[in-house]
Amino acid sequence: MLKYDPAKMVERFKGCLANKKEIIEIADKVSQEGFSNIFFIGVGGTITYAWSIQEILKPLTTLEYYAEHAADFNTLGSKKFTKDSLIVVSSSTGDTKEVVEAVDKAKAIGARVVGFVDTPGTPLAEKADYYIPGGSYYRYYTFFLRLVHNNGEYPEFDEMYANLEKLPELMPTVAEAAEKDAEEFARIHRDDAIQYLIGSGNMWGPTYSYAMCIMEEMQWMRTKSVTAGDFFHGTLEVIGRDDSVILFYGEDATRPQMERAEKFLHTICKNVTVFDTAKYELPGIDKKFRGLFSPIVLGGITGRIGVYLEEYGKHPMPIRRYYRKLDY
Amino acid sequence: MLKYDPAKMVERFKGCLANKKEIIEIADKVSQEGFSNIFFIGVGGTITYAWSIQEILKPLTTLEYYAEHAADFNTLGSKKFTKDSLIVVSSSTGDTKEVVEAVDKAKAIGARVVGFVDTPGTPLAEKADYYIPGGSYYRYYTFFLRLVHNNGEYPEFDEMYANLEKLPELMPTVAEAAEKDAEEFARIHRDDAIQYLIGSGNMWGPTYSYAMCIMEEMQWMRTKSVTAGDFFHGTLEVIGRDDSVILFYGEDATRPQMERAEKFLHTICKNVTVFDTAKYELPGIDKKFRGLFSPIVLGGITGRIGVYLEEYGKHPMPIRRYYRKLDY
């Protein structure tokens, strides 16, 4: 397997679990203090995590939660944002311009800021009232589901966490099982005119993100991502027999939307590629948490797709035309 | 001007104002009864109206408002949805499968349903507790801003409405002023490999909708729509010198995001097309309502683009490959 280091992969994901104690302490503290609502503020890839959390929280909790793009938060604002709001931000670099501005705005009004920031010593790590070293679904699930637990709506928190802890060790088997399909997809479709990507529920965030942050940003591939729900209300008409369509299936309650899209697509298109978390064995994981964990499992699959997109595209991921080359 | 009937245009938009009295009566009644939150439920084009209303309400009100895709509402649900919720739906045909299912779900729990439905006698028109004959921004603004007014947060309601009433008569001048740019854009770019569309704030809904419902569905053109905020976090890297990029500028508080995108784009791309509501004179309209009205003004512009897309594409709008031809 090309560019594959299972031990490193396990170590990286285990690292996401290393902050359990401090994340729970922070969640318990803000729950105890109380808050009127939660704003998870991000841009690009990080806002898509906020979308997934939103879809996960919808059926679970009455807590008021808003996934907000930092650029909108900074310009449009929200009348629901007050000093009693809880602001959550996430950043890899720790200096994302719009997010820094949002945090300054939050602090000016006296709202508490929880920062999931990969790089210590950066503006966002320094400005956060509560600092957690790094993002990832592992950490977000721990934090947000703990808040729901503290709101009396998620008694299975400990059970969920015990399952979550088993995931890192399972990721190499996911990657290995995805290898053949990932390589084949990239080999055949890397240079197609456009990629259509379809996702739903908590998989919509990762689907949008894969199209924009990996294919567009890091591979300069043309994409259009669309929710399974909206696919039938416009995008279907542009799909012809030879277009490349990718479905990122998860296992939450929106799965029937994906089945509907796939069934239709097979009748009009011959390049339908399905990546479905349900097809991957996860020994030791309780069935009832599989839907919640789908975005994490998908990461094991898309990691392998990426390796072959860059290989067949002769386009290493780190290449950028504009990012940190030009001012904007 | 090709396919242009200003008198009919004015008449159509005036028709959108014809239901003022009943819309206000319904809004006042539901405000008096009270509600815990509002779910504006739609699909495709109609959900994008709900998104615009969401961006408009954000800075104005503390009312709890959710723009919800019917397919998600039906499968994932929401713990915030109760018998005290106010459900708003909109449909042109009156029989949109997912929306009918959402309304049945709402009625089963005892929630009130307001239906903006173009076609009387259809399932959605019949099922709604409160029926309003037709959608459109004119009617949505009247309804939702009246709710905000009733919540003590929009004292300028009457003033807004007096301005809104002037818009239909102004739309022909908008269409005529857009004519040259619309024709030129379509003539040069109709058959480009892909169209990138950028919008922000209350213009994001119409931007997404124009890409999906007009260009993809009715013209079979490849598109990618992206918010101005997210443009800088992925999509920018795929844009090359010769790509066609369209910016739908409005006049709400998010306008600086569009200016940032445009400024950058002119440095790396030679096919940047700007349609900006601010460039259109609207005599008699108070400056403070121009941002609110931008999506309506845009409709006068995009109407002219569409005429030339179908003309140069030799692709009349009503053609469908799959819609109501196949079961799905």
Side-chain angles (χ1 to χ4, degrees):
Chain A
M1 284 170 69
L2 191 65
K3 292 189 188 170
Y4 181 59
D5 185 338
K8 204 171 156 191
M9 177 188 265
V10 172
E11 188 193 11
R12 178 157 56 93
F13 291 127
K14 279 197 172 169
C16 298
L17 292 163
N19 313 107
K20 175 185 179 184
K21 192 166 163 282
E22 62 201 279
I23 296 173
I24 289 178
E25 274 174 10
I26 294 169
D28 290 354
K29 184 159 189 295
V30 296
S31 289
Q32 204 177 1
E33 293 169 353
F35 50 84
S36 57
N37 49 37
I38 309 163
F39 286 82
F40 190 165
I41 297 172
V43 296
T46 56
I47 188 74
T48 68
Y49 287 111
W51 295 346
S52 284
I53 298 298
Q54 178 173 273
E55 300 310 294
I56 289 163
L57 297 188
K58 265 183 198 171
L60 287 182
T61 180
T62 57
L63 289 173
E64 249 187 82
Y65 171 95
Y66 301 100
E68 198 67 30
H69 198 286
D72 291 331
F73 184 77
N74 296 336
T75 52
L76 200 62
S78 167
K79 201 167 177 184
K80 298 197 186 75
F81 162 63
T82 71
K83 68 173 177 47
D84 300 318
S85 298
L86 181 64
I87 306 300
V88 179
V89 298
S90 179
S91 173
S92 177
T93 59
D95 63 355
T96 316
K97 193 193 276 191
E98 299 95 317
V99 182
V100 173
E101 187 182 336
V103 166
D104 286 340
K105 187 175 168 179
K107 293 187 69 88
I109 206 175
R112 288 151 297 170
V113 176
V114 178
F116 293 83
V117 184
D118 287 349
T119 323
T122 53
L124 288 171
E126 299 285 320
K127 285 169 191 276
D129 297 299
Y130 301 102
Y131 168 61
I132 296 159
S136 91
Y137 282 111
Y138 291 90
R139 295 186 181 93
Y140 305 136
Y141 285 1
T142 307
F143 181 73
F144 286 103
L145 291 173
R146 184 70 180 185
L147 294 183
V148 180
H149 165 270
N150 294 343
N151 202 42
E153 298 171 310
Y154 199 64
E156 52 270 69
F157 178 82
D158 289 335
E159 197 188 349
M160 182 284 296
Y161 200 88
N163 276 265
L164 188 67
E165 281 181 317
K166 295 176 191 166
L167 272 183
E169 296 278 10
L170 299 174
M171 293 308 284
T173 59
V174 170
E176 287 155 28
E179 179 70 3
K180 191 177 154 286
D181 290 348
E183 185 277 335
E184 184 178 287
F185 166 77
R187 176 165 36 82
I188 298 176
H189 296 295
R190 171 61 179 79
D191 293 325
D192 282 11
I194 185 169
Q195 305 290 337
Y196 289 97
L197 295 94
I198 301 176
S200 72
N202 66 18
M203 297 287 269
W204 167 240
T207 302
Y208 173 98
S209 177
Y210 199 74
M212 189 168 83
C213 303
I214 305 297
M215 289 182 161
E216 289 183 346
E217 179 173 355
M218 303 193 194
Q219 291 294 305
W220 306 353
M221 295 166 70
R222 289 176 175 149
T223 80
K224 165 84 177 202
S225 51
V226 64
T227 61
D230 251 7
F231 172 72
F232 287 107
H233 300 280
T235 302
L236 83 164
E237 287 286 337
V238 77
I239 308 288
R241 189 193 63 169
D242 297 312
D243 285 309
S244 173
V245 185
I246 306 154
L247 293 103
F248 283 147
Y249 262 83
E251 296 164 71
D252 74 6
T254 66
R255 191 172 165 89
Q257 299 181 32
M258 295 295 290
E259 291 167 343
R260 185 181 177 213
E262 187 190 352
K263 190 179 165 204
F264 168 75
L265 278 162
H266 283 305
T267 67
I268 57 105
C269 176
K270 65 182 182 59
N271 291 322
V272 181
T273 306
V274 172
F275 291 102
D276 181 357
T277 62
K279 290 180 183 154
Y280 294 79
E281 284 183 33
L282 300 173
I285 301 296
D286 193 312
K287 201 169 178 294
K288 72 179 169 190
F289 296 113
R290 288 192 61 117
L292 176 66
F293 295 163
S294 296
I296 296 175
V297 175
L298 182 68
I301 300 167
T302 52
R304 298 312 300 164
I305 302 173
V307 165
Y308 291 101
L309 290 180
E310 61 179 348
E311 175 64 18
Y312 291 119
K314 293 297 165 198
H315 188 120
M317 291 286 181
I319 298 175
R320 296 290 184 286
R321 290 197 254 221
Y322 315 124
Y323 179 65
R324 306 214 170 191
K325 302 276 191 289
L326 301 180
D327 276 335
Y328 48 79
Chain B
M1 285 169 69
L2 190 66
K3 291 189 189 170
Y4 182 57
D5 186 338
K8 204 172 154 189
M9 177 188 266
V10 172
E11 188 193 11
R12 179 158 56 93
F13 291 128
K14 279 197 171 168
C16 298
L17 293 163
N19 312 107
K20 175 185 179 185
K21 192 165 163 284
E22 61 201 281
I23 295 173
I24 289 179
E25 275 173 12
I26 294 169
D28 290 354
K29 184 158 189 295
V30 296
S31 289
Q32 205 176 2
E33 292 170 353
F35 50 83
S36 56
N37 49 36
I38 309 164
F39 286 82
F40 191 164
I41 297 172
V43 296
T46 56
I47 188 74
T48 68
Y49 287 111
W51 293 348
S52 284
I53 298 298
Q54 178 173 275
E55 299 311 294
I56 289 163
L57 297 188
K58 265 182 198 172
L60 288 182
T61 180
T62 57
L63 289 173
E64 249 187 82
Y65 170 95
Y66 301 99
E68 197 67 32
H69 198 287
D72 291 331
F73 184 76
N74 296 335
T75 51
L76 200 61
S78 169
K79 202 168 177 182
K80 298 195 186 76
F81 162 63
T82 71
K83 69 173 177 46
D84 300 319
S85 298
L86 182 64
I87 305 300
V88 179
V89 297
S90 179
S91 173
S92 177
T93 59
D95 64 354
T96 316
K97 194 193 274 191
E98 299 94 319
V99 181
V100 172
E101 188 182 334
V103 167
D104 286 341
K105 187 175 168 179
K107 292 186 70 87
I109 207 176
R112 288 150 298 170
V113 176
V114 177
F116 292 83
V117 183
D118 287 348
T119 322
T122 53
L124 288 171
E126 300 284 322
K127 285 169 191 276
D129 296 301
Y130 301 103
Y131 167 61
I132 295 160
S136 90
Y137 282 111
Y138 291 90
R139 294 187 181 93
Y140 305 136
Y141 285 1
T142 307
F143 181 73
F144 286 103
L145 291 174
R146 184 70 181 186
L147 294 183
V148 180
H149 165 270
N150 294 343
N151 202 42
E153 299 171 309
Y154 198 65
E156 53 271 69
F157 179 82
D158 289 336
E159 197 188 347
M160 182 285 295
Y161 200 88
N163 277 263
L164 187 67
E165 281 181 316
K166 295 176 192 165
L167 272 184
E169 296 279 9
L170 299 173
M171 293 308 284
T173 58
V174 170
E176 287 155 28
E179 180 70 3
K180 190 176 154 288
D181 290 347
E183 185 277 336
E184 185 178 286
F185 166 76
R187 176 164 38 81
I188 298 175
H189 296 296
R190 171 59 180 81
D191 293 326
D192 282 11
I194 185 168
Q195 306 291 336
Y196 290 97
L197 295 95
I198 301 177
S200 71
N202 66 19
M203 296 287 269
W204 167 239
T207 302
Y208 173 97
S209 177
Y210 199 75
M212 189 169 82
C213 302
I214 305 297
M215 288 181 161
E216 289 184 345
E217 179 174 355
M218 303 193 195
Q219 292 293 306
W220 305 353
M221 294 166 70
R222 289 176 176 148
T223 81
K224 164 85 177 201
S225 51
V226 64
T227 61
D230 251 7
F231 172 71
F232 288 106
H233 300 281
T235 302
L236 83 164
E237 287 286 336
V238 77
I239 308 287
R241 188 193 64 169
D242 297 312
D243 285 308
S244 173
V245 185
I246 307 154
L247 293 104
F248 283 147
Y249 262 83
E251 297 163 70
D252 74 5
T254 65
R255 192 172 165 89
Q257 299 181 33
M258 295 296 290
E259 291 167 343
R260 185 181 178 213
E262 186 189 351
K263 190 179 166 205
F264 168 75
L265 277 162
H266 283 307
T267 67
I268 57 105
C269 177
K270 66 182 181 59
N271 290 322
V272 181
T273 307
V274 172
F275 291 101
D276 180 358
T277 62
K279 290 180 183 155
Y280 294 79
E281 285 184 31
L282 299 173
I285 300 296
D286 193 313
K287 201 169 177 296
K288 72 179 166 189
F289 296 113
R290 288 191 61 116
L292 177 65
F293 295 163
S294 296
I296 296 176
V297 175
L298 182 68
I301 301 167
T302 52
R304 298 312 301 164
I305 302 172
V307 164
Y308 291 102
L309 290 180
E310 62 178 348
E311 175 63 18
Y312 292 118
K314 295 297 166 197
H315 188 119
M317 291 286 181
I319 297 175
R320 296 290 184 285
R321 290 198 254 221
Y322 314 125
Y323 179 63
R324 306 215 170 191
K325 302 276 193 289
L326 301 180
D327 277 334
Y328 48 80

